[in-house]
Amino acid sequence: MKFKLVQQLEKREKQEAILVPFWETEGQAKEACPLKEFEKAVRPAVQSKDFKGKEGEILPLYIEGEKEKRLLLFGLGKEQKCTVESLRRAFGLAARFCHKRALKSLNIVFPKTFGKLPLNASVKGICEGLLLANYTWSLKEKKEPPSLLEEVTFIGVASKVEEIIEECKQVAEAIYFTRDLINGNADMVTPGFLVETAKRLAKQFSSLKVTALGKKEIEKEGLGLLQAVSRGSSHDPALIILQYENNPRSKEKTVLVGKGITFDTGGLNLKLSNMDTMRDDMSGGALVMGTLAAVAALGLKINVVGVIPTCENAIDAKSYKPGDVYKSYLGKTVEIGDTDAEGRLILADALAYSVKNLAPTAIVDFATLTGSIVVALGDHVAGLFSNSDKIAKGLEAASEETGELLWRMPLHAPYKEQLKSDIADLKNVGGRPGGSIKAALFLEEFVADIPWAHLDIAGTAFSNKENAYLPKNGVGYGVRLTVEFLKKIKK
Ligand code: BES
Ligand code: ZN
Ligand code: ZN
């Protein structure tokens, strides 16, 4: 989507519609930006209260003799209650309104004030709402490809906001990239495809360096859990490492680890239900790649490494077996209680590998790890687990800013009892109650004493329905959150 800025209404170009925002007041809609030109059309709609200015409300009027055919009265809700998130929601709905009517270009009149919100924050909310909603998946496969907004002109906003708009665009690109990876067929988005994608990213951004351990190296290095999970698949596993080291003077190095199961059948403990969305089981990996793409595009002065263990949890005569014991990269042995608890296995090896080889000062992992977190927090809120209050607070603060919700869960140590095994150091499952906590406690065994956080995104990564400015299917949850979190790391 292209953005343009013009100061005066008269200077605007011809577009398909003009969006005029109104704040909601007690009695009737209050014009946020009075325009004499449109008064004749607007007054009856407002006075009749057919249009009240409620958040996201849109009333199309048809006008003649103007640069646009349509005048869209657009509600922003109560001005004093305006937040970045309410702007995201409202403008997301405005974008969707345009999609449905195949409107590709839009003039947007800027309100003079946004309650207590500063201009920069308001512009960010508006751009994010428009951009995040302006996405569809499988354009090619549909008979009539849905139309998207191509050009937007903001009228009456200072040009100093250009930088913010540009930044929003770059992050949105990274989110589209993440969504595309999640949405693509599991048959296409294989571990090998993820390796190729990482290499492509490193070509696009010279600040990114990629290395990938293949099947042989995984065996040789002793990543025994990643190897075990991958055995039932015809696709070779990989450990992708994307390095972005752009601040030699800083001691901080954050490692982001993302679960990259390209399809989760459950393995020999075959899933009995809900397998049809399991191509999303690499969303953590996609989030990590998308975040590195955004960080590189923005040129942040930080050091970050993305680590993505990737394989398919398939079913075959060669599949790893329940009741067997496999040795992890760290050396701890693990009894397989359930082959469907595969995410924690590949993450355990990736975490231990990161601790040993990458000298992290902090680690954050992202994984569609448990159905249990969906039961606990639903599909709008991710579960946050951490051994470090500092990292947890950093992520919570980032979440406040981006509207990507999360909730801190306890790493309640006594539950570790249930991860004990008679025949190995650990078991990969410990009964259903508190399942997401037990999964997190399992991961904690592999991070030594490095400050670490784990985000269980099983509920938030993929959605069956549109939600304000977020699309159906791959949501792209976590990219903005992580970029925001990384920006605050002290130099
Ligand atoms: N990939 C699933 C978790 C999941 C569930 C992701 C729903 C997205 C939506 C994970 O590998 C899994 O199967 N977990 C099991 C663990 C159990 C066997 C201990 C689960 O949550 O049921
Ligand atoms: Zn599973
Ligand atoms: Zn899984």
Side-chain angles (χ1 to χ4, degrees), residues 18-69:
I18 181 161
L19 190 74
V20 182
F22 292 76
W23 297 110
E24 178 192 358
T25 54
E26 299 309 325
Q28 61 187 33
K30 174 173 165 262
E31 217 168 327
C33 180
L35 300 170
K36 274 189 255 82
E37 290 82 346
F38 300 135
E39 221 170 77
K40 235 171 88 190
V42 171
R43 199 184 299 129
V46 170
Q47 284 180 350
S48 66
K49 297 190 186 162
D50 283 0
F51 173 76
K52 298 195 182 69
K54 294 211 175 302
E55 182 190 301
E57 186 184 351
I58 296 180
L59 182 73
L61 303 174
Y62 297 86
I63 50 180
E64 269 172 32
E66 293 292 342
K67 290 184 177 163
E68 309 83 357
K69 265 198 239 150

Side-chain angles (χ1 to χ4, degrees), residues 318-388:
K318 290 202 198 106
S319 287
Y320 78 129
K321 296 172 182 68
D324 276 0
V325 174
Y326 298 91
K327 191 167 171 190
S328 69
Y329 181 74
L330 188 63
K332 291 184 189 182
T333 53
V334 181
E335 178 193 350
I336 307 306
D338 193 318
T339 59
D340 200 8
E342 83 298 338
R344 64 197 75 182
L345 297 173
I346 69 165
L347 287 171
D349 271 354
L351 290 167
Y353 186 91
S354 303
V355 172
K356 184 158 176 223
N357 300 292
L358 300 171
T361 53
I363 304 182
V364 186
D365 79 69
F366 304 87
T368 45
L369 203 61
T370 66
S372 172
I373 203 68
V374 193
V375 175
L377 300 176
D379 49 13
H380 291 184
V381 186
L384 164 65
F385 301 82
S386 183
N387 63 4
S388 150

Side-chain angles (χ1 to χ4, degrees), residues 259 264 266 271 277-278 280-281 338 340-344 368-372 374 428-429 432 458-459:
K259 173 175 173 182
D264 184 9
K271 280 188 186 295
T277 57
M278 281 301 138
D280 83 338
D281 217 16
D338 193 318
D340 200 8
E342 83 298 338
R344 64 197 75 182
T368 45
L369 203 61
T370 66
S372 172
V374 193
N428 76 334
V429 286
R432 276 168 63 85

Side-chain angles (χ1 to χ4, degrees), residues 135-149:
Y135 171 88
T136 59
W137 168 58
S138 82
L139 282 169
K140 281 167 248 128
E141 280 136 54
K142 293 231 169 106
K143 275 194 204 123
E144 272 179 64
S147 109
L148 295 176
L149 269 173

Side-chain angles (χ1 to χ4, degrees), residues 23 55 76-84 86 89 115-116:
W23 297 110
E55 182 190 301
L76 290 178
K78 300 224 163 72
E79 184 171 3
Q80 287 317 307
K81 288 202 173 152
C82 168
T83 60
V84 178
S86 73
R89 283 195 304 258
K116 295 177 210 106

Side-chain angles (χ1 to χ4, degrees), residues 67 91 138 142 231 283 302 363 382-383 447:
K67 290 184 177 163
F91 280 86
S138 82
K142 293 231 169 106
R231 281 189 0 197
S283 297
I302 52 171
I363 304 182
V447 292

Side-chain angles (χ1 to χ4, degrees), residues 91-138:
F91 280 86
L93 293 173
R96 286 205 207 297
F97 181 95
C98 295
H99 297 165
K100 287 204 191 92
R101 288 153 186 85
L103 307 180
K104 294 188 190 307
S105 63
L106 188 61
N107 280 323
I108 298 180
V109 176
F110 246 65
K112 293 213 170 61
T113 55
F114 293 87
K116 295 177 210 106
L117 269 193
L119 179 67
N120 286 358
S122 312
V123 171
K124 197 165 180 203
I126 290 170
C127 290
E128 285 179 346
L130 291 169
L131 286 162
L132 293 176
N134 207 41
Y135 171 88
T136 59
W137 168 58
S138 82

